[in-house]
Amino acid sequence: MDDELDGQATPEGTLSETAEEFQVPRIESAQLKLAKVAAAGDMRATRDLLEQVTPRMSRSVQVVLGYGSPEVEDVVQQSLIAFVQALPSFRGECEPVHFASRIAVRTAVAARKRVRLQSQRTDAEVDMETLASDGAQPSEQFRAARRKKLVLDLLNDIPDEQAESIALRFVLGWSLGDVAKATGVPVNTVRSRLRLAKEALRRRIEQNPQMAEELGVDA
Amino acid sequence: MTSRLHPEDLLDRDPEELSPNERALLDAHLAQCVACRLLVAAERDFAAELASMDVPGHASERTAAMLSKVGVVVGDTELHPEDLLEREENGEALSAEERAALDAHLGSCVACRLLRQAQLDFQAELGPDLDAPLPGTAEEAEEDPELVRLERELEKKVIGIRRVPVTGRRARGRVGIALVAAAAVLMIASVAVAARGTRVWAVLFPQTEEAPAPSEPTEPTTKAAPKPKRTSKKTSRPAPTQQQVEAKDDSDDSFESQPQPQSDDSTENVVAPAPVPVPAPTACATVAPNAPPVANNAAPRSSVPLIFPPHQKPIGPMLGPYANSVPAGTVTSSAPSAAGALFSNANDARRRGDHAAAAKLYQDLLAQHANAPEAVAARVALGRMLLDDGDAQGALPLFDQYLSDGGGSMREEAMFGRARAYERLGRADMEREAWEKLIASYPQSVHTAHAEARIKELSSR
C-alpha cells in the first residue's frame, strides 16, 4: 500500500517517500513543501513563506509582549529575520508556521527578560502582588488583564525552556503534542517543564493570600 | 555473572532479590569500596527526600519501587493532569472518573486554575484566526494618518544599499550573509507593502511599469495547526525607541504617528531595546523585487532601493550604517495637502513652545478638515497639549471624540489622556473606570503602573 501511495499527488500536497521510521507515508502540506524550497535558498519561496507566517508571528509577539509594548515591532522584525536565517536548519518535523511561531515566542520572551532587567535597574516598578484589595469587585476585564499579566511576568523569571513551554501551551493555546514537536523534545519533557513552571506560579500566587480571589481563580 | 570493578548489576537490584552468593559478593565489594557505600546511602537519602515532595507520576520503575518502600505510592496520575486539561479544552467528553479527578485537582491547584482561565483570556485577545492578514489593508490605509505621514516621508527618504566589488571565497561568503540579511529586509518590507496594495508601491517604485499584484490567497496550512481564535484587537502604535527618534530627520514629527513619551508625573518603563545585531557586510547588493531567485554566492545584476515597511516604524537600526543613504533622484516628492500643511504648522508651533498658535492651527484644522486623517491625529495632539497646559476640561472632549470614532494608532494615548483629564477634574468614579479600561485594553502599557497606583488610591478613599 505504501508503494502505491508514494509519489501520488493529493489536494494537500505531494506524498513524500515513506520514512523508514514511520509505518505510514507522510503527507506534506503545501506550506511544508514551500518551506523546503525556501530552505534551499529560493528567494521567491522565502517571500511567499514569510507572507504566510508573518501574521501569526506578529500576533504571537504581540500577545507575549503585550499590546502597546514599545518592543513589539522591533521584536517582530527580529523574529522574521531569525526565521529566515533558521530556515536551512528546519527539518520539517512540524509545520513551518509552528516553527515560526516558536521562534517568535522565544524572541519575545527574551525581549521581555531584557526589558525587565533594564527596567529593574532604572525604575521602581509597582509590584502587583503588593496591591491590596479593598473589597470592591473589580471588573472581569480588569481581572483578565491581571491574570494575563501574572502569567507573562512569570515568563521573565523562569528558565527559557519552561517559559517557552508555558507560552506555547497557555498563551498560544497549543496542545502538548504541538509543543513537543515544535520544541523537539518528548511530550514528557514538556510535561516536566510545565510542572516546574506551575510550581513557580503557585509559589508566586501563594505569596499573597488574597491574590487568587482578586484574580477570580479562588477555589 | 562476571566480576567487575563495581558490580553495577548487583547494586541495581533489590538486595532482597539477590541469591546468597550474589549477596556475599555485593557485601564483600561494599566492605572495601567507600564510593559505592556512599552512593548506596545517598540513594536512600534522595528517596526519603522525594517522599516528602510531590512526585510526578512519570517516575521510573526503579524510583517507583524505591519510593514504595518508604510509603510513597506513585500512580498513573500526573501531578498536573495535562492530558485531562487538554481534552477538556478540546471539548472532549470525560468519563465520570476523569471528570472527578480533574475537578479534584483543580480544586486544589491554584496554578492550573489560573492558567486555565488565563488561556481563555489570551484566546480572547488573539482572536479566532491567527493567520488572518494583519490590520492595515488598502481600505484602511486611506484613513490612517500614520500611513499618510509615512508615505510623505518615503517620498523624501528612501533606503538604499549599494553594491561594492568583492573578491575571494570568504568575501563571497560575507556577501552571502549580507544578501540573506538584505533579502530578509526586502521581503519583510515588500510583504508589508503588498499588504497595503499597489498605492504605496507606485509611490516608491515609480520606474516600474506596473505594480505587482497583491499576493494570492495561499492554500490552507496543515490540519494539525492550533485551533482558530476570535478576531484580535487592533494594536496601538508603540512609542518610538531612542534609536528611531535619532534616525529621523528634522522634518519628521514623531507625535503625528506615535504616542509621545508620557507626561511628567507618570511612571514610565519605556526602555530602548537592544540594537538588533546586523551582519557587517563587506559587500552589499540591491535586489529587484521581481528578479529571479538569486543564489547566495551570486551577485545580482539589477538594483532598486529598499524601502521602509509603510505601516511599521522605520527599520533604520536593522540597516546599520546604511540607514541614511539616499539614492539621488529616486523618488519625486508631492505637494502637501491643505490639511497636511495646517497639521505640520501646528506641530511646528507646538514643538517651539508657541502653544497658543498651535492650538489655533489645530482648531482651524478640525473646523476646516474635520474628516481628514490629520484631523483625527490632531484631536490627540491638541488634547495632550491642553492637558499639559492645565486645561483638562478642554482636553476631555477631544479624547472622547477620538475614541468614539473608533480610535486609531493613538488609542492607548487617548485613553491615558482621558483618564488623566478625569483625574485633573476630580471625577473619581469616571477616572477609576477610565484607568481600568486602559489596563484591560493594554495590560502591558507603560501607563499600567500609574493606573494601578491611581486605582489603589481611589479605592482607599
Side-chain angles (χ1 to χ4, degrees), chain A residues 147-167:
Chain A
R147 285 192 291 260
K148 288 187 287 184
K149 184 174 188 301
L150 183 61
V151 174
L152 294 177
D153 284 347
L154 178 71
L155 301 182
N156 297 339
D157 300 325
I158 56 179
D160 291 346
E161 294 78 14
Q162 294 175 28
E164 183 183 27
S165 296
I166 285 284

Side-chain angles (χ1 to χ4, degrees), chain A residues 51 56 95 98 147 169 217, chain B residues 113 121 131 215 222 226:
Chain A
E51 287 185 4
R56 192 180 290 222
E95 283 303 307
H98 288 179
R147 285 192 291 260
R169 174 74 183 91
V217 292
Chain B
R113 288 200 303 275
D121 300 332
D131 298 314
S215 299
T222 179

Side-chain angles (χ1 to χ4, degrees), chain A residues 11-13 29-31 41-44 46-48 50-60 62-74 76-78 80-81 84-85 95 97-98 112 114-115 118-119 122-126 128 130-132 134 136-153 166 169-178 181 187-188 191 194-195 198-199 201-202 205-206 212 215-219, chain B residues 54 56 58 78-80 82-83 85-86 89 107 110-119 121-123 125-126 129-135 179-180 183-185 187-188 190-191 194 201 215 218-219 221-227 229 232-239 241 243-244 267-274 276 289-294 296 309 311-313 315 318 412 432 436-437 439-446 448-449 452-453 455-456 459-460:
Chain A
E12 290 80 19
S29 66
Q31 192 181 77
D42 187 305
M43 294 293 195
R44 187 177 297 277
T46 304
R47 172 181 173 158
D48 291 344
L50 273 178
E51 287 185 4
Q52 291 183 25
V53 302
T54 293
R56 192 180 290 222
M57 289 182 78
S58 292
R59 290 190 170 93
S60 300
Q62 285 169 354
V63 76
V64 170
L65 291 182
Y67 285 110
S69 165
E71 305 282 324
V72 168
E73 294 195 3
D74 286 337
V76 169
Q77 294 185 357
Q78 290 172 30
L80 290 171
I81 289 183
V84 171
Q85 292 176 338
E95 283 303 307
V97 71
H98 288 179
R112 283 193 64 92
R114 185 176 64 242
V115 170
Q118 290 169 336
S119 66
T122 60
D123 299 301
E125 289 188 79
V126 173
M128 189 178 73
T130 64
L131 293 177
D134 64 346
Q137 290 298 317
S139 65
E140 181 55 31
Q141 266 187 324
F142 184 65
R143 281 178 164 174
R146 292 193 70 189
R147 285 192 291 260
K148 288 187 287 184
K149 184 174 188 301
L150 183 61
V151 174
L152 294 177
D153 284 347
I166 285 284
R169 174 74 183 91
F170 293 103
V171 178
L172 297 191
W174 290 14
S175 69
L176 288 173
D178 286 339
K181 277 186 208 169
V187 172
N188 279 350
R191 286 196 181 98
L194 291 178
R195 177 179 61 81
K198 286 182 177 182
E199 185 59 27
L201 181 61
R202 181 185 64 79
I205 295 172
E206 290 179 349
L215 297 174
V217 292
D218 48 333
Chain B
D54 289 326
H58 295 282
E78 304 168 31
L79 179 62
H80 300 285
E82 303 291 352
D83 287 340
L85 287 165
E86 190 172 312
E89 282 167 30
V110 67
C112 280
R113 288 200 303 275
L114 172 70
L115 286 168
R116 189 164 167 253
Q117 186 59 50
Q119 188 176 350
D121 300 332
F122 285 119
Q123 283 179 12
E125 183 177 344
L126 281 168
D129 188 359
L130 294 180
D131 298 314
L134 293 167
L179 277 175
V180 169
V185 169
M187 283 167 205
I188 294 165
S190 53
V191 163
W201 191 281
S215 299
T218 56
E219 295 180 27
T221 57
T222 179
K223 297 175 187 174
K227 51 184 180 289
K229 316 287 183 185
S232 63
K233 289 189 247 183
K234 195 172 181 180
T235 62
S236 68
R237 299 294 175 192
T241 65
Q243 292 159 326
Q244 287 146 357
T267 306
E268 299 185 32
N269 284 324
V270 179
V271 178
V276 179
N290 294 320
V294 176
N296 280 347
H311 74 295
Q312 294 181 3
K313 294 187 294 186
I315 52 175
M318 289 172 51
E412 182 185 351
R432 177 180 174 138
E436 288 182 351
K437 282 184 179 175
I439 293 175
S441 297
Y442 303 102
Q444 298 298 319
S445 170
V446 294
T448 297
E452 289 176 341
I455 290 172
K456 180 182 177 185
S459 301
S460 65

Side-chain angles (χ1 to χ4, degrees), chain B residues 86-124:
Chain B
E86 190 172 312
R87 286 170 55 198
E88 185 198 44
E89 282 167 30
N90 295 335
E92 293 181 31
L94 302 179
S95 68
E97 291 78 12
E98 289 171 334
R99 170 52 62 185
L102 181 59
D103 289 345
H105 177 78
L106 289 172
S108 64
C109 180
V110 67
C112 280
R113 288 200 303 275
L114 172 70
L115 286 168
R116 189 164 167 253
Q117 186 59 50
Q119 188 176 350
L120 296 175
D121 300 332
F122 285 119
Q123 283 179 12

